[in-house]
Amino acid sequence: MTEIKTLKQRLKPGIKAKLESNSRKYSAAVRSLFATLDKTKFVSDLTISDVRSLHTFSDTRLHNLDAYDVMWCEHLFDDND
């Protein structure tokens, strides 16, 4: 049986790179977000604040996303394979 990856492990490379880039300026916020993602395995376990922080610190624009995108965050995470 395959172990489920954490959300930090499933971050899309471009999203992770943006978060790491913004961690220089917003170190405490991004470090806290990485800690949350490192202990969370399901998007449904994230808070609205976590999702908002993910979008903010990865410079992801919300205006071109629909409710499904925001709810399941498939634009931020790879599938668990």
Side-chain angles (χ1 to χ4, degrees), residues 5-8 36-43 45-46:
K5 293 180 181 178
T6 67
L7 292 179
K8 184 176 179 186
T36 297
L37 296 175
D38 202 29
K39 65 182 180 186
T40 307
K41 295 187 178 190
F42 303 102
V43 171
D45 290 336
L46 294 175

Side-chain angles (χ1 to χ4, degrees), residues 51-64:
V51 174
R52 183 181 60 222
S53 292
L54 265 169
H55 287 104
T56 299
F57 296 114
S58 68
D59 298 327
T60 302
R61 305 285 181 235
L62 294 173
H63 69 276
N64 59 345

Side-chain angles (χ1 to χ4, degrees), residues 6-23:
T6 67
L7 292 179
K8 184 176 179 186
Q9 293 170 318
R10 291 178 42 212
L11 274 173
K12 290 191 176 194
I15 299 297
K16 186 174 183 180
K18 279 293 207 173
L19 290 171
E20 288 171 343
S21 172
N22 280 326
S23 72

